[in-house]
Amino acid sequence: VTLMRSKFNLEVEGDLCDYLGINIKKREDGALEMTQPHLIKSIIEDLGLNRTGSKTKLTPAMSSRILGKDLSKPAHDERQFQYRSVIGKLNYLEKSTRPDIAYAVHQCARFSSNPRSSHTEAVKRIGRYLLATSEMGIILDPKDTSFECWVDASHAGEWDKETAPEDSSTAKSRSGYVITIGGCPIIWASKMQTEIALSSTESEYIALSQAMREVLPMMALAQEAVKMGVIEQAGQPKVHCKVFEDNSGAIEIARLPKMRPRTKHLNIKYHHFRHHFESGLLSLHYVPTDQQIADIFTKPLSEPLFVKHRKQLIGW
């Protein structure tokens, strides 16, 4: 209704129930449930897990092992399944309705050019997890809050002294973040940082900077929508973002603009967002690691912690 009263020309074609293969269901409590059962079924069939008696898993990745190049192991057998095709489907699923598999999918996608038998098993584990949760997706239950951003990083979490000489990327850290509006996740990411961080604080600060590059343009768009009357807010409209971080060093650097000898190399590239904290557009809040939702994007978690963060992230 608000959009219809704005300057835009719109056509009302009824309630949305399906879009680009995503099933959209409005629940009795007002929340929206988005699922992709057909795509999940296709992935399970590609992996040959649609047979009776196929085992299921409760997490998409082993918490005790980080994937590497594993060049000493046999190459992936394409007769089992087409590796890149399945990875493509998993990427679309993860970016649409299943952020809970983001870390596991990105881990497997890194080795698409030369997959080995260990990567075959890792992809199948994701399939076994999807087999157990094929009817699940993401639940959007809007709250009366503005933007929130949960940011985390794993400092050189994939480093392996045995493979490091042949794979320098193991020294890089991984960033993970999720951006929500009204408590609903809209953007999330699990990706390797492009340069080597020299400390856990630096890796967290780099992740913070990466997330802010997503948040700030969205906030500018929201402010413009408020001015145009597309978004109505009671009283004085205010677009604000709470940023949650579990590293006190990264919080200190973001809040206080003084120069430090060990972090002066960060000045040009990663301090671009600090004045927004000073102006009040952003506010930075410490959150304990066991309550950091973005932890699910940076490392394979044990089942209890994975389930806890999944509930916070997508509602089940």
Side-chain angles (χ1 to χ4, degrees):
V1 177
T2 303
L3 283 173
M4 293 178 65
R5 290 200 297 263
S6 67
K7 301 176 182 179
F8 299 99
N9 294 322
L10 301 175
E11 292 184 8
V12 180
E13 298 183 354
D15 293 335
L16 185 64
C17 60
D18 189 87
Y19 182 73
L20 295 178
I22 301 175
N23 295 342
I24 302 172
K25 177 183 177 182
K26 189 170 184 178
R27 307 199 315 181
E28 293 183 359
D29 60 1
L32 291 177
E33 187 173 359
M34 301 169 61
T35 59
Q36 292 174 280
H38 299 298
L39 178 57
I40 292 177
K41 180 181 178 182
S42 175
I43 293 170
I44 290 172
E45 289 176 350
D46 288 349
L47 295 175
L49 299 175
N50 54 329
R51 295 186 293 269
T52 303
S54 292
K55 295 181 180 179
T56 60
K57 295 293 183 180
L58 298 179
T59 61
M62 293 178 59
S63 61
S64 59
R65 188 172 186 276
I66 302 293
L67 284 182
K69 284 188 175 182
D70 292 337
L71 297 177
S72 62
K73 295 189 176 181
H76 165 71
D77 186 354
E78 286 289 328
R79 292 175 297 181
Q80 293 192 50
F81 61 87
Q82 294 184 348
Y83 194 93
R84 293 188 182 187
S85 174
V86 171
I87 289 297
K89 291 181 180 181
L90 287 171
N91 271 324
Y92 183 70
L93 175 66
E94 176 261 314
K95 289 301 182 187
S96 300
T97 61
R98 295 297 297 267
D100 53 319
I101 65 172
Y103 171 81
V105 171
H106 188 267
Q107 272 282 82
C108 294
R110 289 182 59 213
F111 308 104
S112 295
S113 62
N114 187 17
R116 318 304 285 186
S117 58
S118 57
H119 309 133
T120 303
E121 293 306 313
V123 172
K124 282 189 173 182
R125 184 184 177 97
I126 299 174
R128 297 185 192 282
Y129 171 70
L130 293 177
L131 183 62
T133 59
S134 59
E135 298 300 320
M136 308 304 290
I138 187 170
I139 299 172
L140 304 178
D141 188 11
K143 304 291 193 303
D144 293 331
T145 58
S146 190
F147 291 87
E148 288 186 348
C149 181
W150 302 75
V151 187
D152 196 19
S154 176
H155 178 234
E158 299 176 20
W159 185 77
D160 184 343
K161 65 179 181 180
E162 295 182 0
T163 61
E166 61 191 30
D167 185 8
S168 60
S169 65
T170 62
K172 293 181 180 178
S173 302
R174 178 177 290 273
S175 296
Y177 57 84
V178 57
I179 301 167
T180 68
I181 297 181
C184 301
I186 55 171
I187 292 180
W188 52 84
S190 173
K191 56 187 178 182
M192 301 297 287
Q193 295 178 359
T194 57
E195 56 195 282
I196 296 175
L198 303 181
S199 66
S200 58
T201 292
E202 185 175 335
S203 66
E204 295 273 0
Y205 195 72
I206 291 173
L208 188 59
S209 174
Q210 291 174 330
M212 292 304 97
R213 292 177 209 175
E214 298 273 12
V215 168
L216 293 172
M218 292 175 56
M219 296 181 71
L221 180 62
Q223 288 172 325
E224 184 176 350
V226 169
K227 291 179 181 178
M228 295 181 66
V230 177
I231 298 176
E232 290 184 350
Q233 293 184 349
Q236 182 66 29
K238 183 178 181 181
V239 177
H240 178 77
C241 180
K242 289 183 178 180
V243 183
F244 297 92
E245 171 62 60
D246 62 1
N247 184 277
S248 57
I251 292 175
E252 181 76 7
I253 295 171
R255 282 179 173 168
L256 301 178
K258 71 177 184 179
M259 293 296 296
R260 300 166 178 82
R262 293 186 180 180
T263 59
K264 61 183 180 182
H265 59 291
L266 299 176
N267 189 56
I268 297 176
K269 189 172 183 180
Y270 294 113
H271 288 339
H272 63 93
F273 59 88
R274 286 205 303 199
H275 69 279
H276 293 296
F277 287 110
E278 297 169 7
S279 68
L281 186 67
L282 306 172
S283 60
L284 197 54
H285 305 265
Y286 175 78
V287 60
T289 300
D290 62 350
Q291 297 177 28
Q292 173 58 274
I293 301 174
D295 198 33
I296 201 172
F297 298 115
T298 63
K299 62 181 75 70
L301 302 175
S302 62
E303 182 188 335
L305 194 55
F306 177 82
V307 172
K308 175 183 177 179
H309 289 328
R310 185 183 64 191
K311 174 69 175 178
Q312 294 174 290
L313 180 65
I314 53 178
W316 55 274

